[in-house]
Amino acid sequence: MKRRLLSLSLASVIGTSGLFTTHSVFAAENLNQKINNKQQEISELQMNEKSLKATVAEINAKVENTNEKMKQTKAEIATTKQESEELKVKIAKTKKRIEERNELLEKRARAMQENGGSSYLDVLLGAESFGDFIDRAMAVTTIVNADQDIVNEQKKDKESLEKAEADLSKKLAKVEKDLKELEDMKVALQYQINDKNSILAKIKEEQKVASNELGELKGQAAKIAEQERAAAAKAAQAAKAAQEQARGTTSSDNSSYSAPPQSNNVTIHIGSGGIETAISVGSSIVGRSPYNWGGGRSASDIANRSFDCSSFVRWAYAEAGVNLGPISGTTTDSLVVQGRAVSASEMKRGDLVFFDTYKRNGHVGIYLGNGTFLNDNSSHGVSIDSMSNSYWRSTFKGVVRRVVE
């Protein structure tokens, strides 16, 4: 009988220990998988950070190069304006020479009239003798040649001035156009730098969170290992006691397991006048809401009007009674599948427009019409921008979603 009790006790101890060990193995395997996933996540974040830093360095180099070109162009403009001032002085001197020549021609004409003639022919016909005619013909020839030289000089000076003025005007227009293009390029590059720096800040924050979570997971793994050691020791002690006292001890380790929350599909409820209400609400904070990467996903952020691009769009439409998704789960990736796709040529006021900034469809705004859109960007916060701006024009690839009919 004792032998039977001993066998039953040992079976009970071994069975209970086996149940705990099996659960511990599953828990440990689950934790190890989570640790591996978290380490992979941190590794990917570090790679993304390194890549973004390299991209920012390249953009900064382009900005420096653009600044140098702008400096050179401004110097060229200054030189051209100085040449323009010098040309004005030259023009004044040339005009003075032209006036002096005109006065000389007028004096000769007056002298001719005083001598009894209104033209060179009259002068010749007024000769009193053949010798006088020869003298007058030689004088007229000399005067005519001199007048022709003056006329040629006048023509040459005028042509020279006209050409110099045209060349200088053309040169100034070109360098001013070059400067405008460089200034637009610098604005576009600054948009890119601001976007990349915002992403870098978010990646660093995610790395910090992931590192803390990894530490917690490793702590849980260490705790499970300790529990396994304690359970093994307890089982050994129980088995020994059962052998000695021919009675078993039972132990149980009940642990609860909660299934992961299931995601719910979000249905958009379109309200009457939703477009104009959303635009009105969003426009009310233009210039008064700085950009906050990852913001707008808590009651505090919303109360303080602290958004990023996707949370701003979601909030504006939510205020109009249009649900574009949960507060915490709204991203450009979630918004780009809302509503229905329309072509860029058919987009209208209230449609969502997407831009390929740091990634495909990485930025979103609300189209207002006339080539403008309402958005929250890292350079100006909540603002109204033109889609013809060189940066937005280059990043808009025609992705448009209509969320309100």
Side-chain angles (χ1 to χ4, degrees), residues 13 23 29 49 76 114 137 151 173 202 214 219 225 240 305 320 338 344 349 371:
V13 170
H23 173 75
E29 288 178 351
E49 180 183 12
E76 189 174 354
E114 290 171 358
V151 170
K202 181 61 177 177
L214 179 60
K240 183 178 179 180
R305 302 296 185 258
Q338 297 286 352
R349 187 173 173 88

Side-chain angles (χ1 to χ4, degrees), residues 144-162:
V144 168
N145 290 337
D147 288 349
Q148 187 60 47
D149 289 341
I150 291 173
V151 170
N152 290 338
E153 289 177 3
Q154 296 282 68
K155 182 179 179 182
K156 183 178 179 181
D157 279 347
K158 287 181 179 179
E159 289 177 349
S160 176
L161 284 177
E162 289 173 355

Side-chain angles (χ1 to χ4, degrees), residues 273-395:
I275 292 175
E276 295 307 321
T277 302
I279 291 174
S280 176
V281 169
S283 299
S284 69
I285 60 173
V286 167
R288 299 191 293 112
S289 176
Y291 181 82
N292 176 20
W293 176 280
R297 291 167 178 80
S298 67
S300 175
D301 279 351
I302 293 175
N304 292 320
R305 302 296 185 258
S306 180
F307 305 103
D308 60 14
C309 66
S310 55
S311 65
F312 167 72
V313 169
R314 184 213 166 274
W315 168 76
Y317 266 111
E319 291 294 297
V322 179
N323 180 10
L324 297 182
I327 293 175
S328 61
T330 299
T331 64
T332 55
D333 291 334
S334 69
L335 291 178
V336 80
V337 297
Q338 297 286 352
R340 66 180 179 90
V342 296
S343 66
S345 62
E346 297 176 341
M347 64 182 178
K348 65 180 184 179
R349 187 173 173 88
D351 288 346
L352 305 189
V353 287
F354 294 82
F355 303 84
D356 292 354
T357 51
Y358 71 97
K359 68 171 186 176
R360 183 179 180 185
N361 301 323
H363 185 72
V364 64
I366 303 173
Y367 186 64
L368 300 178
N370 297 321
T372 61
F373 68 105
L374 176 65
N375 71 115
D376 192 350
N377 61 77
S378 59
S379 293
H380 303 116
V382 176
S383 62
I384 295 174
D385 290 292
S386 171
M387 295 185 72
S388 63
N389 170 280
S390 57
Y391 177 70
W392 297 122
R393 184 175 66 250
S394 66
T395 55

Side-chain angles (χ1 to χ4, degrees), residues 153-217:
E153 289 177 3
Q154 296 282 68
K155 182 179 179 182
K156 183 178 179 181
D157 279 347
K158 287 181 179 179
E159 289 177 349
S160 176
L161 284 177
E162 289 173 355
K163 184 177 185 303
E165 286 181 312
D167 290 346
L168 195 61
S169 177
K170 184 177 180 181
K171 180 180 179 181
L172 185 60
K174 181 181 182 303
V175 292
E176 287 179 342
K177 179 183 177 183
D178 291 344
L179 180 61
K180 179 65 169 58
E181 290 176 352
L182 289 169
E183 289 173 344
D184 289 345
M185 183 184 298
K186 184 176 180 180
V187 170
L189 290 171
Q190 195 59 53
Y191 268 115
Q192 294 181 43
I193 288 174
N194 290 339
D195 278 341
K196 299 299 183 292
N197 284 335
S198 296
I199 298 166
L200 275 173
K202 181 61 177 177
I203 286 177
K204 289 181 179 178
E205 180 182 340
E206 290 178 351
Q207 283 182 348
K208 183 178 179 181
V209 172
S211 295
N212 291 338
E213 291 175 348
L214 179 60
E216 292 176 359
L217 289 172

Side-chain angles (χ1 to χ4, degrees), residues 52-67:
L52 274 172
K53 284 183 176 179
T55 302
V56 170
E58 291 177 1
I59 298 173
N60 279 325
K62 290 181 181 178
V63 170
E64 290 299 321
N65 185 45
T66 302
N67 285 336

Side-chain angles (χ1 to χ4, degrees), residues 70-173:
M70 289 176 63
K71 182 179 178 181
Q72 294 173 0
T73 304
K74 287 179 180 178
E76 189 174 354
I77 289 175
T79 300
T80 305
K81 289 183 176 180
Q82 179 62 35
E83 291 175 1
S84 177
E85 294 300 320
E86 294 173 356
L87 181 60
K88 288 179 182 178
V89 174
K90 186 177 179 180
I91 289 172
K93 290 181 179 179
T94 304
K95 286 183 177 178
K96 185 176 181 181
R97 286 201 305 271
I98 291 173
E99 291 173 358
E100 290 174 349
R101 293 188 190 112
N102 287 335
E103 289 177 1
L104 179 58
L105 292 172
E106 289 174 359
K107 285 180 181 180
R108 288 181 179 175
R110 284 196 300 270
M112 189 185 301
Q113 291 174 349
E114 290 171 358
N115 289 328
S118 59
S119 67
Y120 292 131
L121 181 60
D122 291 338
V123 172
L124 292 174
L125 294 176
E128 296 177 355
S129 65
F130 182 74
D132 186 25
F133 179 84
I134 296 300
D135 290 340
R136 289 190 179 206
M138 292 178 65
V140 167
T141 300
T142 301
I143 292 172
V144 168
N145 290 337
D147 288 349
Q148 187 60 47
D149 289 341
I150 291 173
V151 170
N152 290 338
E153 289 177 3
Q154 296 282 68
K155 182 179 179 182
K156 183 178 179 181
D157 279 347
K158 287 181 179 179
E159 289 177 349
S160 176
L161 284 177
E162 289 173 355
K163 184 177 185 303
E165 286 181 312
D167 290 346
L168 195 61
S169 177
K170 184 177 180 181
K171 180 180 179 181
L172 185 60

